[in-house]
Amino acid sequence: MTQDPTLVIVKDAGEMSRMAAEIVTEVLTARPTAPISLPTGSTPVGMFDALIDASRNGTLDLTRFELFCLDEYLGVTIDNPNTLTAWLKRTLIEPAGIPMDHVRTLPVDDPDPDAAAHRYDQAIASAGNLALAVLGIGNNGHIAYNEPGSEADSRTRVIDLTQESIDQAAGYFDGATVPTQAMTVGVGTLLEADRIVLIAHGAGKAEIIRRALRDPMSAQVPASWLRLAPDRVTFILDEAAAGLL
Ligand code: PGA
């Protein structure tokens, strides 16, 4: 019998953010050194703010966990302010007081990116797999940068970005040329996490959420593969993002 992932539908983005931050807190309270992945993009910013507040007021210790980044552009050096890592540093890592030596970044500047991606995958496995992966979803159904065409058993690897993702990323690039490739944690790697939380808000995400949850699972909508682990996956959606379910 097929089972659906847990669906939590909340009123708005604020509630979505609070609930996602609560799950991060729950996981880190049980295991302060847990390996965790957190997404980039506009969706997690409210969750980050809740985590920063909790860290600053001493109710959450973010100094001990291991943060595995989910994706990064290829062909940009890590000191480039437009990288996903630099964005995460400004938006979460520094304000939350997460020590940089606990942050694992994708080895995009390695001379052999394929081999380096494989080693990153192995580092996640060596950490005992992710205790928690919080994910956003792109309008094309990507999770991390697993673009359409990504299979359920895909591992951490280099991927060509779709034009849609390149256009979306342009908003963060301040006029500079957006790279056409990225390194992303694979769908299969994500599916090995103990717990996976996908967050989405707004009517703009309603159609892709419907496709991810209601259409047959397929590589065309990589987020649909999350239904392979229904007992470990929770979608936290606001009413607008859940509007077409
Ligand atoms: P967004 O991006 O949070 O800015 O909508 C999500 C994604 O592309 O994964």
Side-chain angles (χ1 to χ4, degrees), residues 8 10 12-28 36-39 43-48 50-51 60 132-135 195 197-200 234-237:
V8 179
V10 296
D12 55 23
E15 266 189 52
M16 180 210 76
S17 302
R18 272 191 298 281
M19 188 158 287
E22 266 171 36
I23 294 174
V24 175
T25 302
E26 203 180 288
V27 169
L28 286 179
I36 288 182
S37 281
L38 299 172
T43 308
V45 172
M47 172 185 73
F48 289 169
L51 294 174
L60 174 63
L132 171 67
V134 183
L135 305 172
R195 199 160 173 189
V197 172
L198 185 143
I199 51 176
T234 303
F235 278 60
I236 307 177
L237 310 171

Side-chain angles (χ1 to χ4, degrees), residues 123-148:
I124 293 176
S126 301
N129 293 326
L130 297 169
L132 171 67
V134 183
L135 305 172
I137 181 171
N139 283 321
N140 64 2
H142 69 214
I143 45 175
Y145 254 141
N146 291 284
E147 295 280 49

Side-chain angles (χ1 to χ4, degrees), residues 39-240:
T40 51
S42 58
T43 308
V45 172
M47 172 185 73
F48 289 169
D49 289 343
L51 294 174
I52 292 164
D53 283 349
S55 169
R56 286 184 173 157
N57 69 28
T59 53
L60 174 63
D61 179 5
L62 290 174
T63 64
R64 298 177 61 199
F65 83 107
E66 241 184 312
L67 174 57
F68 278 90
C69 293
L70 283 170
D71 44 15
E72 185 55 273
Y73 298 108
L74 227 72
V76 286
T77 53
I78 225 71
D79 55 355
N80 182 321
N82 296 322
T83 60
L84 294 170
T85 308
W87 181 89
L88 197 61
K89 222 166 147 177
R90 289 191 298 274
T91 315
L92 174 72
I93 295 169
E94 283 172 354
I98 299 168
M100 213 41 213
D101 62 350
H102 287 208
V103 180
R104 300 287 199 106
T105 59
L106 280 304
V108 290
D109 48 7
D110 194 283
D112 185 348
D114 295 332
H118 177 62
R119 285 196 298 275
Y120 191 85
D121 216 70
Q122 286 179 323
I124 293 176
S126 301
N129 293 326
L130 297 169
L132 171 67
V134 183
L135 305 172
I137 181 171
N139 283 321
N140 64 2
H142 69 214
I143 45 175
Y145 254 141
N146 291 284
E147 295 280 49
S150 296
E151 297 292 346
D153 60 358
S154 56
R155 310 306 306 191
T156 303
R157 69 203 185 286
V158 172
I159 190 158
D160 293 333
L161 296 174
T162 59
Q163 192 57 46
E164 189 176 1
S165 292
I166 293 169
D167 294 345
Q168 188 187 349
Y172 292 86
F173 268 75
D174 202 20
T177 306
V178 181
T180 57
Q181 287 188 308
M183 191 183 287
T184 182
V185 172
V187 178
T189 316
L190 293 170
L191 280 171
E192 287 165 356
D194 296 340
R195 199 160 173 189
I196 301 169
V197 172
L198 185 143
I199 51 176
H201 64 78
K205 292 282 167 74
E207 172 59 10
I208 196 63
I209 288 291
R210 186 199 63 73
R211 291 180 64 199
L213 288 170
R214 298 290 183 250
D215 281 356
M217 282 186 271
S218 101
Q220 281 320 300
V221 181
S224 69
W225 295 129
L226 296 177
R227 285 151 58 197
L228 290 169
D231 52 327
R232 287 177 284 124
V233 175
T234 303
F235 278 60
I236 307 177
L237 310 171
D238 77 346
E239 285 171 4

